[in-house]
Amino acid sequence: MNPETLAAGAAAVALPHDLTPFGMFMAADLVVKAVMAGLIAASLVTWVILVGKVLELGALGRAARRGAAVVAQEAGMAGLALHSRLPRPLALMLTEISEEIAQTGIGNASSGPVAGGLVERVRSRLARLEAAAGRRAMAGTGLLATIGSTAPFVGLFGTVWGIMNAFVGISESQTTNLAVVAPGIAEALLATATGLVAAIPAVVVYNHLARRTTAFRAEMTDLSEGLIRTLSRDLETGRLDAAALN
């Protein structure tokens, strides 16, 4: 028998034949292993962020809707201040309003330019509060964008490195036998697949959380606009009692 054929057969027998994903991972080069392990960790981070943010945004949205319902039920600012347990967004907004009224120093009922200026300053304060709430709601989601944009390239790096090693193995064995080539290339391509597994959910989750955050911001806007309308009515009718809000 040809010595070259014997050498190729021996090399094929020595190569691992476990081509399951776990088997290919264990047989991969150290660099390819590190790439795939990092991508798997990034994928786990994606799912952790999804669960945490869905729960967080759900709680924030419910609090904003409860606050809007409370504002709709009350005829004036003094009635809102009498509630013992207000939803957190509403309580924060009432605090901002009471601070602005105290700084304006209008006393009780007021109208005219002072009242108009007060409404605009309150609107500015509440807008800043809405923006801060929106930033907190999006905290952590930037990592998803990073994973979604970089994971395919990290996986591609692992693939390139693995294919380079496969070609080195071909050169050392001096044969192009498929049994020699296939395991190394399969391990390399697994890195690309792992990158896609990490990237695709990250992009989908990021877009979903962005939509949820936009909806939450809209609910916060509804709440703040309801408060501004209530404040404006109190100013026009002379029912605003600054002391009652403190």
Side-chain angles (χ1 to χ4, degrees):
M1 185 177 291
N2 192 327
E4 184 178 346
T5 305
L6 289 173
V13 172
L15 287 171
H17 292 280
D18 184 4
L19 295 182
T20 63
F22 180 75
M24 288 188 289
F25 173 81
M26 295 304 296
D29 178 77
L30 182 61
V31 173
V32 181
K33 275 184 181 178
V35 167
M36 288 192 287
L39 292 171
I40 291 169
S43 182
L44 293 176
V45 168
T46 296
W47 295 109
V48 169
I49 291 176
L50 171 63
V51 173
K53 282 296 177 181
V54 165
L55 294 176
E56 179 186 0
L57 289 171
L60 291 173
R62 286 191 297 271
R65 289 190 294 271
R66 286 199 306 271
V70 171
V71 172
Q73 292 170 0
E74 291 295 336
M77 301 296 295
L80 292 172
L82 294 177
H83 282 262
S84 58
R85 296 186 63 183
L86 291 171
R88 178 175 172 79
L90 178 55
L92 291 175
M93 289 182 176
L94 285 176
T95 299
E96 292 289 331
I97 292 173
S98 63
E99 288 179 359
E100 184 56 43
I101 291 173
Q103 291 179 9
T104 302
I106 63 171
N108 292 327
S110 182
S111 61
V114 174
L118 173 63
V119 170
E120 289 305 312
R121 288 190 297 275
V122 166
R123 189 186 301 275
S124 174
R125 278 178 173 261
L126 297 188
R128 298 292 297 173
L129 200 61
E130 292 172 39
R135 287 193 298 271
R136 285 194 298 271
M138 284 295 289
T141 58
L143 183 58
L144 297 176
T146 301
I147 293 172
S149 60
T150 60
F153 298 102
V154 174
L156 183 60
F157 167 74
T159 296
V160 171
W161 187 275
I163 290 177
M164 288 169 54
N165 286 336
F167 279 116
V168 169
I170 292 171
S171 176
E172 291 176 349
S173 63
Q174 297 182 350
T175 179
T176 56
N177 190 313
L178 186 61
V180 176
V181 178
I185 294 179
E187 294 159 9
L189 293 175
L190 181 62
T192 296
T194 308
L196 295 176
V197 167
I200 293 172
V203 173
V204 173
V205 170
Y206 177 82
N207 291 333
H208 173 70
L209 294 179
R211 290 192 297 270
R212 292 286 298 268
T213 303
T214 300
F216 166 65
R217 286 175 171 171
E219 290 164 349
M220 289 289 289
T221 300
D222 291 341
L223 173 57
S224 65
E225 290 297 324
L227 281 172
I228 290 170
R229 287 192 297 270
T230 302
L231 175 63
S232 179
R233 283 194 298 267
D234 282 0
L235 289 169
E236 289 179 358
T237 58
R239 292 183 303 177
L240 181 64
D241 186 356
L245 297 177
N246 297 323

